[in-house]
Amino acid sequence: MLKRELMQLKKDKLLFAALILAPVFFTVLFSWYYSSGVVKSIPTAVLDFDNSSLSRMIINYFENNEKYDVKYYAKDEIELKNLIEQGNARMALVFPPDFSRKIKKGEDTRVLVICNETNLIVGNNALTRASEILQSLGVGILIKKIESLGYPPEYSDNLAMPLGFATRVLGNPAYNYSYFLIPGLIGVVFLEISILNMARTVAVDALKEENVKELLGIYITRMFLYLILLLLVFIICIFAVNKFFKIPIRGKMTDVIALAIPFITSCINIGAFLGIVTKNPLFSVQVTAYLSMPTFLASGFTWPYHMMPEPIKKFATFWPLYSFIIPLRNIMLLGSSGEEILLAVKQLGLISVFGFLLNIFMILLRSGFSEKAGIAGGE
């Protein structure tokens, strides 16, 4: 009995791959994906109304800390707001006017730390480390000031207080994990449903349908039908999580719909491609299942995109989930609109058009093979 099962396993290459190779592959893939271990180089913006040697010194501490990548220097509050809402900056430091003068006079003044908490992993890391830096910096600055007045070091240690700072949490001030996860999980559900059902049904048609025009008609009709149905269900789901589970929708619903249309279309076309190529309903379903977890991780939704290995970054840019779920979460939690959403819609649109043209080509290519086979058979 055991020998028979081993022989069956040896013959069934798909089963062998599923039982032996797939677990090893995904273990290595996930370990590589998280190999950096800690969040670093968090994109950070600065708005310095004081522009003093003291404010520049504090900024320099952040520039030299591996946790941050200070790459944006905003000119005003509008520019800073756009940097955060578009996802370019995950954290910002704002120095008020007369910051240095008030510190020297012992007057109350605070550095404002703005943190985008739509991604709790990045946001919590950014905020925690910023608090540590500002508190340790404040103690050092104040000790030097007290000692300059002639007090002994032990007295100045007792009087020294941390540098004052205030925090403003954007997107998810309650640190609610459902706000953080639900938009992404909705995206994964619709990715899977779109690809799986289109792949399965097209594989059945590709297997039995010999007429190319008929197959083209089935593919195009089904694509539009599935798009309309899935878009309606998607809109219902978004309203449901908002009404019943209190997940906010702070942006425009029109932006959500504009993002969903090319996303669902691109997923449907990926499913159609799998069905056309495999002509095997079961195998196409298995492939879709295996794509689920790695593509969600590669989307940058949980682990930040800038920390991912370069090959995974490149894959993510061509996979529709990356261009959908982060902009969707930003619309819902930050109220984002404009440039970020437009870029995402364009990217998803390109993926949709490419997928559609590729599927047409694959169907016509199949027609060419069928004609050659018919000629060979006639001879």
Side-chain angles (χ1 to χ4, degrees):
M1 187 73 72
L2 178 61
K3 185 177 179 181
R4 188 185 71 183
E5 289 300 317
L6 288 173
M7 290 299 294
Q8 178 63 28
L9 183 63
K10 184 179 179 181
K11 291 178 182 177
D12 192 336
K13 292 182 172 56
L14 286 178
L15 181 61
F16 178 81
L19 290 177
I20 308 298
L21 300 181
V24 174
F25 171 77
F26 286 124
T27 299
V28 172
L29 178 66
F30 296 154
S31 300
W32 179 45
Y33 178 81
Y34 288 107
S35 59
S36 54
V38 295
V39 177
K40 300 177 183 177
S41 303
I42 298 170
T44 303
V46 170
L47 178 56
D48 188 0
F49 288 115
D50 187 49
N51 198 27
S52 64
S53 58
L54 178 59
S55 64
R56 287 193 295 272
M57 181 189 75
I58 295 172
I59 294 167
N60 188 57
Y61 272 90
F62 281 86
E63 289 174 334
N64 293 327
N65 192 293
E66 66 176 7
K67 185 69 76 177
Y68 303 99
D69 180 12
V70 183
K71 56 196 301 186
Y72 303 105
Y73 298 87
K75 297 176 182 177
D76 51 41
E77 292 178 355
I78 295 175
E79 184 181 354
L80 185 68
K81 181 174 180 287
N82 290 335
L83 285 169
I84 294 173
E85 285 189 354
Q86 291 171 13
N88 295 322
R90 307 294 306 183
M91 194 189 82
L93 300 171
V94 181
F95 295 87
D98 298 327
F99 172 74
S100 178
R101 182 183 63 79
K102 288 183 178 180
I103 285 287
K104 291 174 182 177
K105 288 187 175 183
E107 297 177 9
D108 182 50
T109 187
R110 297 173 183 272
V111 179
L112 177 61
V113 180
I114 302 174
C115 194
N116 180 348
E117 283 284 355
T118 52
N119 185 321
L120 291 177
I121 295 173
V122 178
N124 289 346
N125 269 271
L127 203 54
T128 300
R129 187 63 184 135
S131 301
E132 293 172 358
I133 291 173
L134 291 171
Q135 286 178 345
S136 61
L137 252 182
V139 170
I141 291 169
L142 290 172
I143 284 177
K144 288 181 180 179
K145 174 177 170 53
I146 292 167
E147 288 180 353
S148 69
L149 297 175
Y151 292 102
E154 61 274 12
Y155 185 72
S156 62
D157 287 342
N158 293 330
L159 289 179
M161 296 292 289
L163 180 67
F165 67 94
T167 58
R168 182 188 300 167
V169 176
L170 303 179
N172 191 1
Y175 305 100
N176 189 317
Y177 270 84
S178 63
Y179 292 8
F180 168 46
L181 288 172
I182 293 300
L185 295 177
I186 289 173
V188 172
V189 166
F190 277 86
L191 175 93
E192 289 293 298
I193 289 172
S194 304
I195 295 177
L196 188 149
N197 286 289
M198 193 67 174
R200 183 179 59 82
T201 55
V202 169
V204 171
D205 293 322
L207 189 62
K208 66 181 183 181
E209 184 59 61
E210 294 297 332
N211 189 305
V212 172
K213 287 184 179 179
E214 188 70 20
L215 187 56
L216 277 171
I218 292 171
Y219 159 57
I220 294 171
T221 303
R222 187 171 295 154
M223 181 183 71
F224 283 108
L225 176 63
Y226 282 16
L227 172 61
I228 293 167
L229 291 174
L230 287 169
L231 182 62
L232 289 173
V233 176
F234 174 79
I235 293 169
I236 291 169
C237 290
I238 292 295
F239 278 120
V241 297
N242 175 248
K243 182 173 179 59
F244 299 112
F245 301 99
K246 309 304 179 187
I247 309 296
I249 306 175
R250 298 188 176 117
K252 298 175 183 177
M253 195 61 199
T254 51
D255 285 342
V256 173
I257 295 171
L259 198 63
I261 291 171
F263 169 68
I264 294 172
T265 306
S266 62
C267 295
I268 289 171
N269 281 317
I270 290 170
F273 177 77
L274 285 174
I276 293 166
V277 170
T278 63
K279 301 181 190 177
N280 185 328
L282 178 60
F283 181 61
S284 61
V285 169
Q286 288 176 323
V287 171
T288 305
Y290 288 137
L291 285 172
S292 176
M293 181 61 72
T295 54
F296 179 62
L297 294 176
S299 69
F301 193 81
T302 52
W303 191 245
Y305 176 78
H306 71 272
M307 293 297 299
M308 294 191 295
E310 284 301 322
I312 295 181
K313 282 185 186 179
K314 290 178 181 178
F315 167 76
T317 56
F318 294 102
W319 191 251
L321 201 60
Y322 167 74
S323 298
F324 177 71
I325 55 177
I326 295 177
L328 175 65
R329 185 171 61 187
N330 288 345
I331 293 171
M332 295 178 72
L333 300 186
L334 288 175
S336 298
S337 61
E339 186 179 346
E340 180 200 8
I341 309 307
L342 183 61
L343 286 173
V345 169
K346 284 182 179 179
Q347 179 70 10
L348 290 168
L350 287 172
I351 296 171
S352 300
V353 171
F354 177 78
F356 177 74
L357 295 176
L358 179 62
N359 288 334
I360 298 294
F361 173 76
M362 293 300 296
I363 292 171
L364 294 176
L365 187 66
R366 179 188 170 193
S367 168
F369 284 135
S370 299
E371 288 178 5
K372 287 181 181 179
I375 292 170
E379 291 176 354

